[in-house]
Amino acid sequence: MEKLIITAAICGAEVTKEQNPAVPYTIEEMVREAKSAFDAGAAIIHVHVRWDDGTPTQDKERFRVIMDAIREACPGVILIPSTGGATGMTPEERLQPTELFPEMATLDCGTCNFGDDIFVNDMPTMRAFGKRMLENNIKPEYECFEIGHLDTILTMARKGQVPGAPMQFNFVLGVPGCTPATPGHLDYLVKMIPAGSTWTATGIGRNAFTLAAAAIAMGGNVRVGFEDNLNLSRGVPAKSNGQLVEKVVRLAKELGRAIATPDEARAILSLNK
């Protein structure tokens, strides 16, 4: 199997310090959490940004400052800014970080229930996001929350509406209202992706490490972090994103997978081509 790429989603848009005091808001806190994950073995940092009071934002300059600070603290790290933002944001707001020409960015693959909210990604929005990433030479990480999302994005790729092969998928399973985080659902999705694609599994909440173990065993990659899960184990809050990454590294060691460096991850993800 190829080496394991670990992504750390260090803050998301919804989690708060009331839920876990280590959730980062400020620039300094974001750098601290990114470095903790990077030092533990994460090759990729998935970046949402917040104002200092914790309010989620897609402000381009906030992204610029935070991403530059993370790059300085974590030499060579791959940064994947979010174009999902937070529920209720307009497509124009959400697209702001693509103006910074990152090597990768997320592209959400369809509308879905998101707890009590609706996360809107209609076809015109997705076509606009695909067009921007084609124009700015950004490799998308395709975020699939539902099984139907995969078919939608593959159809768009065939039509040239979004970047095509080699494609990188992130199967985000276990969001309340979406596809449950089971190894069976993950196995189905992985079997449906085109040959030569790469994929990552993200389990939400208590499903984080169950899905991580399944992904490691299946030859895929893993995302963990405060965006997805705040606990190291049931009832035990993680003290940092680095602790969550360390747990994945231990699982990988038990299952015989070596950990990819950022440069190795770039080669696996075809970012140098």
Side-chain angles (χ1 to χ4, degrees):
M1 291 184 184
E2 287 186 309
K3 290 187 176 182
L4 173 69
I5 302 171
I6 302 175
T7 299
I10 59 176
C11 75
E14 312 294 340
V15 293
T16 67
K17 289 183 180 295
E18 286 71 32
Q19 295 169 295
N20 184 318
V23 171
Y25 298 165
T26 68
I27 297 167
E28 294 76 15
E29 290 169 346
M30 291 287 290
V31 170
R32 179 199 73 209
E33 288 304 306
K35 184 166 172 51
S36 77
F38 178 76
D39 289 347
I44 299 173
I45 305 296
H46 173 51
V47 185
H48 284 258
V49 298
R50 319 276 278 266
W51 296 119
D52 285 356
D53 66 358
T55 303
T57 180
Q58 288 293 104
D59 180 78
K60 179 176 72 173
E61 291 308 312
R62 185 70 166 180
F63 267 102
R64 187 196 305 276
V65 170
I66 287 176
M67 289 170 64
D68 284 350
I70 291 173
R71 288 190 186 100
E72 184 174 352
C74 308
V77 73
I78 299 168
L79 298 180
I80 301 183
S82 172
T83 65
T87 56
M89 290 182 174
T90 67
E92 291 74 20
E93 285 179 276
R94 290 167 51 189
L95 274 172
Q96 287 184 81
T98 64
E99 297 171 20
L100 301 174
F101 297 90
E103 54 190 326
M104 295 185 74
T106 61
L107 196 160
D108 298 289
C109 298
T111 297
C112 58
N113 288 316
F114 211 82
D116 291 343
D117 297 314
I118 297 174
F119 185 28
V120 178
N121 295 283
D122 56 27
M123 295 304 297
T125 296
M126 293 167 63
R127 285 193 288 266
F129 282 40
K131 183 173 185 288
R132 174 65 60 82
M133 293 190 192
L134 286 163
E135 291 171 346
N136 289 11
N137 195 30
I138 299 167
K139 182 183 177 82
E141 179 172 75
Y142 292 110
E143 310 286 302
C144 297
F145 299 84
E146 296 276 27
I147 287 173
H149 289 179
L150 178 57
D151 181 69
T152 297
I153 206 66
L154 291 178
T155 299
M156 293 181 72
R158 285 194 294 271
K159 293 179 177 179
Q161 296 172 338
V162 297
M167 300 172 79
Q168 158 65 11
F169 301 92
N170 180 27
F171 300 123
V172 185
L173 304 181
V175 172
C178 296
T179 300
T182 68
H185 286 133
L186 181 62
D187 181 61
Y188 174 85
L189 286 160
V190 171
K191 287 177 178 175
M192 301 303 291
I193 64 177
S197 301
T198 52
W199 61 275
T200 296
T202 300
I204 301 301
R206 66 179 182 273
N207 302 299
F209 294 107
T210 301
L211 212 66
I216 294 167
M218 292 166 63
N221 303 299
V222 171
R223 187 179 100 176
V224 291
F226 285 156
E227 176 174 0
D228 309 314
N229 168 51
L230 295 166
N231 294 325
L232 194 60
S233 58
R234 186 182 179 115
V236 181
K239 295 180 180 178
S240 68
N241 279 274
Q243 278 197 326
L244 299 173
V245 173
E246 287 167 359
K247 186 167 181 176
V248 174
V249 171
R250 291 195 297 272
L251 287 170
K253 184 176 181 180
E254 292 293 326
L255 293 169
R257 294 280 302 277
I259 307 302
T261 66
D263 284 345
E264 290 168 336
R266 282 187 174 87
I268 293 167
L269 296 171
S270 302
L271 291 177
N272 299 321
K273 296 179 181 180

